[in-house]
Amino acid sequence: MKKWAMIGTWKMSYDGIDKASAVLEEGGSAGDAVELAIRQVEDCPDFTSVGFGGLPNELGEVELDAAYMNGKTLGIGAVAAVKDCKNPISIARDLSNEKFNCFLVGEGAERFASLKGFEKKNMLSPEANDQYEKRKKEIIEENLSPYDGHDTVGIIGLDKNGHMVVGTSTSGLFMKKPGRVGDSPIIGSGFYVDEKIGGASCTGLGEDIMKGCLSYEAVRRMEEGLSPKEIAQPLVDEFSKKLEKRQGKAGAISIIVMDKNGNWAIGTNVEFSFVVARELEGIGTYLASVDGNRVKIHKI
Ligand code: ASP
């Protein structure tokens, strides 16, 4: 028997991880726990970067990305740029059982979801619409960058039977081009898990995270024998430097890493909050702040 554990990006994952911890405590599966936790974030209108209430694209439409990976079978399922789907993570989980056609985008994904009976919903909340109208004006009048305002919920779960799962869900960049897809549903970039080794998930500027396939790289380093602590921050530092050299600037990058025994670490180049829950230890929210070259983590 293993001790269960979960780690999730951003403090928005707290309530979901709290609920899902009870599932793991009772011997439930990592898959059920991760899906439940992410659905909780998707359903909450207060989180403006995931599910209902997520910020829209430049046409004012909410397009969502999500993915699910089973660390036992290595099965992956993902959807990208889907509209009007209440819980993209559940569609992604369903797709992870498919041998073919496991990553669907746009209308094809919506068609699959509706044939399978997944709940439909207009995902644009009145508040998100107000934000959109406000930002549209600001961009024109003040020449502001359209893309500020994004975050992904990424959660890694380990259950008592040693099974591991990772899931992600996001509305991507605020004011993105219709059809834009970031790292979150892309295997190896936004997420990766192999329960014989461990898992990882990223959040930040998808266009930059994808250039390093960072989640896969983290798991690959774990397989070589490095611990999450030896991997997470060095990987973000190293890759941010590489991007600075090659393109002048690195976007926001944060990564969560957990090994098959529930040992965890994070790496980041921006202020980053995250949630950890482990058997016998309970749940905690942490804040990582960047001070020059050093990242300090404290419990909040
Ligand atoms: N990685 C996401 C994307 O680029 C956004 C985020 O996690 O902040 O779509």
Side-chain angles (χ1 to χ4, degrees), residues 150-152 172 180 182-184 203-206:
H150 52 87
D151 281 341
T152 300
R180 179 263 184 193
D183 61 305
S184 307
T203 176
L205 183 63

Side-chain angles (χ1 to χ4, degrees), residues 7 43 84 87 96 144 181 189 201 209 211 228 253 287 295 300:
I7 183 166
D43 288 342
D84 302 326
N87 292 110
S96 72
L144 288 180
V181 177
S189 287
S201 182
I209 292 166
K211 291 167 188 153
I253 300 175
L287 184 71
V295 173
I300 50 176

Side-chain angles (χ1 to χ4, degrees), residues 59-179:
L59 299 181
E61 302 165 332
V62 180
E63 284 186 337
L64 302 171
D65 303 336
Y68 177 99
M69 183 166 186
N70 179 331
K72 180 176 182 210
T73 62
L74 305 185
I76 46 156
V79 290
V82 285
K83 288 184 234 166
D84 302 326
C85 290
K86 182 175 171 284
N87 292 110
I89 187 64
S90 298
I91 309 169
R93 184 180 187 186
D94 195 87
L95 284 167
S96 72
N97 299 313
E98 300 285 336
K99 184 168 165 60
F100 302 106
N101 307 299
C102 60
F103 186 178
L104 300 178
V105 304
E107 279 173 23
E110 289 153 22
R111 183 168 178 275
F112 172 86
S114 128
L115 287 174
K116 282 264 181 155
F118 285 102
E119 203 174 323
K120 292 187 80 167
K121 181 171 178 167
N122 176 357
M123 301 300 274
L124 184 64
S125 69
E127 292 77 12
N129 193 45
D130 289 351
Q131 275 279 89
Y132 167 75
E133 294 297 343
K134 200 173 142 226
R135 180 60 65 93
K136 218 167 64 174
K137 244 178 108 207
E138 284 170 357
I139 291 169
I140 298 166
E141 287 171 3
E142 296 167 45
N143 208 9
L144 288 180
S145 155
Y147 302 123
D148 294 335
H150 52 87
D151 281 341
T152 300
V153 59
I155 297 184
I156 309 167
L158 162 69
D159 66 31
K160 288 183 177 179
N161 292 313
H163 296 314
M164 290 187 86
V165 160
V166 62
T168 60
S169 186
T170 187
S171 52
L173 301 187
F174 185 21
M175 292 286 181
K176 65 189 179 183
K177 299 274 180 227

